[in-house]
Each structure stands twice: as structure tokens, then as C-alpha cells.
Amino acid sequence: MTSRTRRQLLRDASIAALGIGLAGPLAGCGDDTVSSTSTWWPTQSPGSAALDDLAKQISGGVLRPGDAGYGPTSLPANGRFRSIRPAAIARCNNAADVAAAVTWSADNGLAPTVRGGGHSYSGFSTSPDLILDVSSMNSVTVDMAAGTITTGGSALNGDILDFTTGGPVFLPGGTCRGVGVGGLALGGGIGYNAHWAGLTSDLMVASTIVTADGEVRTLSASEHDDLFWACRGGAGGNFGVNTQFTFALTDAPRDDISFYRFEWTGAERAAQVLATFDQMLVDAPAALNAVAMAEATSIDGGSPRDAISVMSRGQYIGPIEELGDLVAPLLAVDEPDSTTLKTLAFWDAQEGFASGASANHSWGDISRYAAQPIPASAVDELVDLLVECPHRSADANGSLWSLGWIGGDVIDKFDRTETAYVHRGMNTLWRPTTVWPNDANPSVGRDLNEWTAAMIGVLAPHTPPESYQNFPNRDIVDPLEEYYAENLDRLIDIKTDYDPTDLFTNPQGIPIRSG
Ligand SMILES: Cc1cc2nc3c(=O)[nH]c(=O)nc-3n(C[C@H](O)[C@H](O)[C@H](O)COP(=O)(O)OP(=O)(O)OC[C@H]3O[C@@H](n4cnc5c(N)ncnc54)[C@H](O)[C@@H]3O)c2cc1C
């Protein structure tokens, strides 16, 4: 029995057990125990002759354990999943390489897992089978006449930012320079420009994909429109390997924009700022793109309620006086310990927002969309939990973010079913997030992840059951419902049409229809 057919049986069994055909095989499974010896699918080691055959077909070659370069290339960015190492890595430089690797995987009964920027929060670009490393496919070109930007399947946010910086046009993306456009755009793509310029996936006008049958297909509104629909929110790793994307360009603001950053300390300020920010978003114009967050910091002999740092920041595509009026409610909470309100060049702001992930660390994100402000009592409860965060050192702690980029007129000009990204009509995205060093005692990660689950428990009664598919979390009980809601049925149909043997899969992958 091949690993693929056994995996399919496992999946079918769990779907049947649930009676609904919706959840992934390990929905609800905590992942701190994931290791190369307790994998969620069976591993089959390909013989070296089979790998030699694959290597001849891939222009970038194949890396196996023991080869120079295998170690760093096999590691994901999120250290939490570093124990899952592949049997081999196919270094694909183009669509022909990808097609050869996909066909070889199907023939040899190994799952092909694509790795772009490697930043999946749930380790979905790790696998004990074959990784298709597409990181060299990072080209960026702009066609000003057509008003489009075309990228390789794994240009990073940083590549796109560097290419466009200082120019007249840009593509709204995410904040982390190391995130790949494949993972980002296939699941949505939110950041400091989403509120006024849209989700990355909403700007996609075409893509090239290698599907499970090894075919290279062009997708657009007029070619394979069903699969194109699925690639605008249906998340990476489900339908094939996207080797190229084309997006509509947005004009970069010519005049200076406005920027603010305010900081406070203490649990009381945290509760007031988060609640005020929540209300502020209800009428926020598209031009305001902002976040608020509170973090549990080292107590250092003081009071746990005092050791909470609070921050709100954002950009406004407009004059500073208007931004001053919009953020006045935040200033009215209490005078910040630190206040920045200034004009600056658009590109300087983008450089300032761009960040990197902490090396040698593990993360555990989870998220919940809110359609309207949550009650002040719930905000108080969240802040009380923040005060009780089980780890509060500089590199192991928890924080709570409210990402106010995800609603508004621009994102909501699409209906919930118009693309596979369903989460329209939302006010903010609540995101409890944790970080800890890779070499910490495993109990640290477990404690912090139980803590994020408790945060979601507070949010749940006040929010629709919807989570951002690009912040996947293996502890979500009904992940596919939460990521795709009413779009899930159509996604399963499209998956079944284009990948009938479920070649592309992960612990929260979209299943095929059985029978
Ligand atoms: C530090 C950090 C900051 C982040 N900031 C943001 C943010 O500001 N905004 C935001 O929207 N998201 C953000 N994210 C989430 C990010 O969008 C997702 O984690 C995304 O899936 C990562 O893509 P990747 O290519 O880097 O990761 P990978 O782990 O390589 O891929 C993620 C998934 O997509 C699949 N995939 C990757 N490339 C392709 C491809 N070319 N074709 C088909 N499938 C593919 C993989 O198989 C995997 O299932 C952040 C994540 C981290 C870790």
C-alpha cells in the first residue's frame, strides 16, 4: 500500500467518523508532539534509484539527508515543526521542474509538498515525504502598460517590496519580508495597505499552476475560472503548485502620507485602548490602516498588571490633520507614554512596517474575525488573561493583536462567495500570538498554546466562527469551516475535479469528495 492511498484511507475514516466530510484528519490535534517519528501520514523512503531518476529531471537537482545544503533547506521558518524532515527536496526552478516532481511523486506514492517562504504557522510546508522547494522562483516584473505585476510562485514580500520601492506603483502584501507570495496570496494577504488597497488575493488577475496530473495550466477569469476562484483564498498547498502570479497594480501615493504610533503601559490602559480601537474601526475610512496590540512583558519584581505594554500604530493615506481627528479617541484614553504623529513618504512607511521573523524561535498564532466590536467586558477578560500569560520573558511571551486592516469598503466590495476568501463584512481580526525559543522546555510552548486557546474561548461567544486561513492552527476543531465557511462545499468540488487522488494535502487540507 502506498503512503498516499493509506493517507486517503485515514482521511476518509476521519471524515466518515465526523459524519460531515469537513474536518482534516488531525483536526484538534496539538502539534507539540509532532516529530519525524510521530508523523500524521506514513512515510515511505524512496529508493536511491528512484531519487536518482528524479534528480535527472529537476534542473536544480535533489537534496537528500546528508547532502550539503539539505540541513538549512529542510528547515521551516517556524522552529516548532523543525523535527519534520523530508525524505528529499526537489529544487524546482521552473514549471517544467515542478511538473516532473509532481508526476514523480504520484508515480512513487509520495506526497509532494510545496515550500515557498516556509512561514506556515502550522508547518504545512514540512513533510517527511518530498518537498518541492520553489524558493528560486522569485522573479518580479512590472508591466506598466498593462498595469500588472508578475511574480514567480515564491517571490517574497521583501523581493516585491524591494522591486517596487520608490516607484509609482505597488502591490499590497503582508508585513513579514520572508513570507512567500504563494502562501500569502493563495490564502488572502493582509497588511498595512489592505484596508485601502485590498487583499493581495483580490488583486490576482492570473496564475499558472501545475496540477496533480502534471499539467501546467493558466488560470484567470476566463480560463479554468473555477480553479482561479479557488486560488483567491482557498489557501496554498491544496490544488497544485502555483508557479507564477499576475496581480493588478495599485498607484503608490505621490504625496506624503500620515503615520501614528502611540504607546502606553498597564492592563487598564490595554483594556481601554483595545476597546476604543474596536469602536474606532466601525467608521474608519478605507484610508486608515491600523492595528492595536497589548503584550505581556517581563514582570521584573513589579506587578503583573503593570507589566503590559500597549501599542497602536497605523498609516493614513491623507493629511495629518485628518489622521489626528481619527485617532483622537485613542489619545483621549490617557496620555501615551510615547506619541508619534507625523507625515512621511509612503515608501519610508512601508520600509518601517516591514519586519522579519525571529530566527531560532517557534510561534503559535490563532485568529478570530469579529464582525462588530466585542463587549467591553470581553475585552476586560482578554486583558485579564493577558496578565495571567504563563510566560513573560523577552523571547517567550504572549500578545494580543487587533488587526484593523481586514474590513472596510474596499475589501467588502467583494461578496463572501465571489472569491474563496469568505471573510467579508468584518470589523477586525483578533490574533492572540505566542513566541518561544526552539530550545525551551516543551512545556513552554504547550502552556502558551493553551493560553491562546483560552483567549479564543473568550472571543468565541462574540464573534462568528471564522479564522484566517493564513494563520492556520492545528488546535482548531473545525478548521475548514472556520477558514472557508459557505465556500467550503465549492472548494471540495474543485479539489475533487483537479486533484481526484488527493495528492496535495496537509493536516488541514481541503478534502476530496468520497464516493
Ligand atoms: C512572521 C510571520 C508574519 C506574517 N505576516 C503576515 C501578514 O502580515 N499578512 C498575512 O496575510 N499573512 C502573514 N503571515 C502568514 C502568511 O501569509 C502565511 O503563513 C503564508 O502561508 C506563508 O507563505 P510562505 O510561502 O512563506 O510559507 P510556506 O510555509 O512555504 O507555505 C504555506 C502554505 O502554502 C503552500 N504554498 C507555498 N507556496 C505555494 C505555491 N507557490 N503554490 C501552491 N502552494 C504554495 C505551502 O505548501 C503551505 O501549505 C505571516 C506569517 C509569519 C510566520
Side-chain angles (χ1 to χ4, degrees), residues 113-121 124-125 134 153-154 174-176 178-180 182-184 186 189-191 236-237 240-242 245 357 363 405 468 470-471 506:
T113 295
V114 57
R115 161 93 45 90
H119 275 58
S120 169
Y121 278 112
F124 292 162
S125 60
V134 297
S154 187
T175 56
C176 180
V179 163
L184 181 88
L186 292 167
I190 58 176
V241 184
N242 297 70
F245 296 98
W363 322 297
W405 313 313
Y468 182 30
N470 273 0
F471 297 167
N506 65 55

Side-chain angles (χ1 to χ4, degrees), residues 2 50 52 77 118 165 172 211 221 237 264 274 304 375 410 435 439 453 456 480:
T2 67
D52 288 345
T165 290
T211 43
W264 303 260
L274 288 169
V410 176
V435 61
D439 57 6
I456 294 298
L480 300 181

Side-chain angles (χ1 to χ4, degrees), residues 89-158:
I89 302 166
R91 306 190 82 170
C92 301
N93 293 322
N94 50 50
D97 286 349
V98 171
V102 167
T103 304
W104 181 92
S105 298
D107 290 347
N108 285 274
L110 286 168
T113 295
V114 57
R115 161 93 45 90
H119 275 58
S120 169
Y121 278 112
S122 274
F124 292 162
S125 60
T126 56
S127 157
D129 285 6
L130 183 72
I131 284 187
L132 277 55
D133 172 12
V134 297
S135 59
S136 69
M137 298 170 70
N138 61 354
S139 60
V140 184
T141 54
V142 163
D143 182 339
M144 289 299 288
T148 56
I149 182 167
T150 295
T151 73
S154 187
L156 306 181
N157 275 327

Side-chain angles (χ1 to χ4, degrees), residues 57 60 87 89 101 111 129 139 194 217 238 251 254 256 299 304 309 317 325 332 361-362 365 452 460 468 480 492 509:
Q57 303 176 55
I89 302 166
D129 285 6
S139 60
R217 299 169 195 267
N238 279 310
D251 289 335
R254 282 167 195 271
D256 283 352
I299 297 172
S309 71
I317 313 300
D325 290 344
H361 278 72
S362 299
D365 264 48
T452 57
Y468 182 30
L480 300 181
I492 293 172

